[in-house]
Amino acid sequence: MFCFVLFCFAALKTNGFSNINNCSSSVSIFIFLGFPYTWEIQVLLFSVFSGTYILTVTGNLCIICAVRWDHRLQTPMYILLANFSFLEIWFITSTVPNMLANLLSETSTISFYGCFLQFYFFFSMGTTETFFLSAMAFDRYLAICRPLHYPTVMTVQRCIRIGAGCWVCGFLYFLLPIYLISQLPFCCSNKIDHFLCDPGPLIKLSCMPAPATEIICAIYNSVLIFSTLFFITNSYTLVIRAVLRVPSGEGRHKVFSTCGSHLAVVSLFYGSIMVVYVSPTSGNPAGMQKYVTLFYSVLTPLFNPLIYSLRNKEMKAALRKLFKIVRFS
């Protein structure tokens, strides 16, 4: 730990020294290269992504409203799910509206401060998502493996505190890497080979090599991803072992249906972010990084409401009730 603190201090010192003779103050905007296709394909992409955005926001809003209006769903499991759906709305909103605007503009630009603001919110909400997935896995572990203790351990008040902790920790975790990248000298080029502000392309734009900052980013990513993934995997391993001992086939089916939806979300999210962020950023080709980021930042939030609503009988019943209320109101 002491060595890591010294390493961070060295990175700060290096970045501060490099700022003496750089022209970072002259870089007021960044230009996204995005998807270099013809105008017709750009319009097609705009239609697809705008439709995906509307469906994602609508689907996650339906889950939030169903949990809010159906008293049977006001339990820790569904409270965490409603928080997760709210998070997904803002996660996709941090990138897609700007991407849609850039698809129809001649020059896809973003201001220097706007870029790092997007960077901060995108990564903070992605980090918060890993914490919520861990909290949801822990909730399922308690409900299935410790059913007698569950009502006293996972109360609604404690669930709300856990959710608040996920939000706070998620928005604090990446402050140091974002600060280090913002201190790099950007003086050679302001063209980002991406559709959003991501650490890899930003570090490549630096006038000077920044191996310390790059390694710190990789360490932060790896610690976050592997620690939460290990916790989630361990929780569901214990759940599966407990489920296999359940004599009732119907009981096993119900538990596997609920946990299966959680595992599907975990697989989609972690499978894509590990490709991009586990290794140091210089090792990922720009094209692959761009399209994998597109998958987990745009498509995964769309899949989540579908997975939870299609594989959960209680949620489907609540959604049917919600649609009836909306139709007859």
Side-chain angles (χ1 to χ4, degrees), residues 62-191:
C62 286
I63 290 179
I64 295 171
C65 293
V67 174
R68 173 66 180 84
W69 289 336
D70 193 323
H71 295 290
R72 294 173 300 176
L73 298 186
Q74 291 179 5
T75 61
M77 171 183 167
Y78 291 106
I79 290 173
L80 289 173
L81 176 58
N83 272 271
F84 188 72
S85 295
F86 181 75
L87 171 65
E88 291 289 64
I89 292 173
W90 289 107
F91 184 54
I92 193 172
T93 301
S94 67
T95 57
V96 171
N98 181 261
M99 181 178 66
L100 292 176
N102 290 334
L103 283 171
L104 298 183
S105 63
E106 294 183 2
T107 57
S108 304
T109 62
I110 189 171
S111 67
F112 182 89
Y113 294 106
C115 178
F116 281 94
L117 192 64
Q118 182 193 63
F119 181 15
Y120 171 70
F121 279 104
F122 179 68
F123 264 74
S124 295
M125 284 182 282
T127 303
T128 306
E129 184 163 340
T130 65
F131 292 146
F132 266 109
L133 289 172
S134 301
M136 293 163 76
F138 180 66
D139 174 74
R140 290 301 84 205
Y141 161 75
L142 287 177
I144 296 168
C145 300
R146 298 288 185 270
L148 298 178
H149 298 88
Y150 181 75
T152 55
V153 174
M154 186 59 77
T155 62
V156 172
Q157 292 76 16
R158 185 163 293 167
C159 175
I160 293 173
R161 288 198 293 269
I162 290 174
C166 291
W167 283 102
V168 172
C169 293
F171 276 78
L172 292 178
Y173 185 78
F174 265 100
L175 285 176
L176 177 61
I178 292 171
Y179 173 76
L180 291 176
I181 295 175
S182 69
Q183 297 304 299
L184 294 175
F186 300 104
C187 53
C188 298
S189 174
N190 64 344
K191 294 182 179 179

Side-chain angles (χ1 to χ4, degrees), residues 3-42:
C3 293
F4 181 69
V5 171
L6 289 177
F7 190 69
C8 293
F9 177 76
L12 287 166
K13 186 175 180 181
T14 302
N15 288 344
F17 178 78
S18 65
N19 281 335
I20 296 175
N21 296 313
N22 70 58
C23 54
S24 61
S25 59
S26 65
V27 178
S28 58
I29 62 170
F30 289 106
I31 300 174
F32 291 127
L33 298 182
F35 306 99
Y37 299 122
T38 62
W39 172 251
E40 291 77 12
I41 296 180
Q42 297 269 30

